[in-house]
Amino acid sequence: MYFSNQSKKNTPTKKENNICPKCSFDNYHAALYCEICFYPLNVVKYPSQKLTPVVSQPKMVEVETQNNLQQELQKPSVISGLLVLSLAIALWFNYFLERRPTYISGNGKDKIALYDSMSQVKDVPSGLFSYGGALYFASLVTHGMNETMLQTHPDFNLRYTKPTNQDQSYAHGIKMLLDGELSFAFNGRPLKDQEYVQAELRNIELLQVPIAIDGITVFGNHDLEVGNLSLDQVKDIFTGKITNWRQLGGADLPITPVLLTPENLEILAINDLTQVSASTQYVSNYTLTLRKVIATPGAISFTSTSLVQNQQGIKVFNLAAEHSAEYIAPMTGKQPNLELFENGTYPLTRRLFVVIRQDGTPDQLAGKAYTEMLLSHQGQEIVEDSGFVPLYKKKI
């Protein structure tokens, strides 16, 4: 068969020594890779055709980019900027967490929340709302609790409602709450089963929220010679077993116990109120209690330390546990010993409560709003200034 010279030039021919060093296949003379195993062939005789790894250049670019980025990040101006940005993010995150309340009691939307300030409290109703019950709230009012609430929420107005029959017992305060005379009530003891039953009969739920710890101070006429008492001696005085100060190492002087109501004896763990001393005299409020004790030789009474911390003309007794001689002062100068109340070293303390109606009325909103403002960090500072141990104050 005849072939032209042109066709011979276009016909691929094999070249000697273009053999794959890996598999020994004899490749065409122009092959750069083995046609069988794709192994690179010897191209020394063809310097214009160099094999270059496909991925080598991108790797160099990537490394160079990373180096440049590291150099940029190491510049002082960039480092400072990142630090400022990190600080800003941390502050924002902390602020966000601080603004979120925690909850301590209640169910669903009625849960009691803890806020940082009174201004954060939500759903504060507008109107005039009545409160009453245990008289220890007087110290809170004196130290600006109601005034601060009104400054923060100008339409939230509060008024104290005095019992018409002069009954200042805790039980009567809860009765006034159930009768609708009060929007919320202060209580110096936990609610009793009977009070929960009475509320249920009226389709009302009662929520009691602890707000502080109170130390009880036993005090007497300023001229008394006795300065120390144990709890068992105090009980014997108010139940009529000890009737003269001479029995306690003092002068020959009759003892005159002064109380608002026999119910006060429950603070001393005296539950049989028929045991009250026959010589007990009753008054209608703590102002009259102080006046009676100051004016009566041999008189003795007890009340919240917050109500007597700045009083003149009375004898404050150091108190010991029953059958103990380790007497502890409820105050240092004019300041209550809150640390001793808090850790239980002082032998006579109690928890204080606010009781709220759970009946879907504006009174419920008022009680919840008041409690949340009082339990806020701002409110708990006022609680402490008033002579009570705050339960929810932030530790700084």
Side-chain angles (χ1 to χ4, degrees), residues 15-17 42-49:
K15 179 175 179 63
E16 245 184 292
N17 299 326
N42 185 2
V43 293
V44 176
K45 296 183 179 181
Y46 304 93
S48 61
Q49 302 181 17

Side-chain angles (χ1 to χ4, degrees), residues 86-103:
S86 300
L87 179 61
I89 294 174
L91 290 174
W92 178 87
F93 188 68
N94 183 66
Y95 173 79
F96 177 74
L97 291 179
E98 289 290 328
R99 299 285 293 185
R100 293 180 61 188
T102 54
Y103 297 92

Side-chain angles (χ1 to χ4, degrees), residues 104-105 208-212 351-354 371 374-375 391-392:
I104 60 171
S105 64
Q208 64 174 8
V209 183
I211 59 172
R351 288 216 302 175
L352 304 178
F353 302 87
V354 168
T371 302
L374 184 145
L375 296 185
L391 297 181
Y392 307 101

Side-chain angles (χ1 to χ4, degrees), residues 13 26-27 104 116 146 154 185 204 212 227 262 291 321 332 363 370 395:
T13 59
D26 188 7
N27 295 277
I104 60 171
D116 187 60
N146 292 10
I204 299 173
R291 292 177 181 175
T332 300
D363 285 334
Y370 178 90
K395 302 297 183 181

Side-chain angles (χ1 to χ4, degrees), residues 280-307:
T280 299
Q281 295 188 17
Y282 295 97
V283 293
S284 59
N285 58 59
Y286 284 118
T287 299
L288 295 179
T289 300
L290 287 166
R291 292 177 181 175
K292 175 69 70 174
V293 170
I294 292 171
T296 307
I300 185 174
S301 188
F302 57 86
T303 187
S304 168
T305 303
S306 67
L307 298 177

Side-chain angles (χ1 to χ4, degrees), residues 109-131:
K109 65 179 182 180
D110 297 322
K111 292 187 296 185
I112 301 300
L114 299 180
Y115 294 95
D116 187 60
S117 67
M118 294 184 183
S119 62
Q120 293 175 290
V121 176
K122 302 176 181 179
D123 301 323
V124 179
S126 300
L128 180 62
F129 302 98
S130 299
Y131 65 89

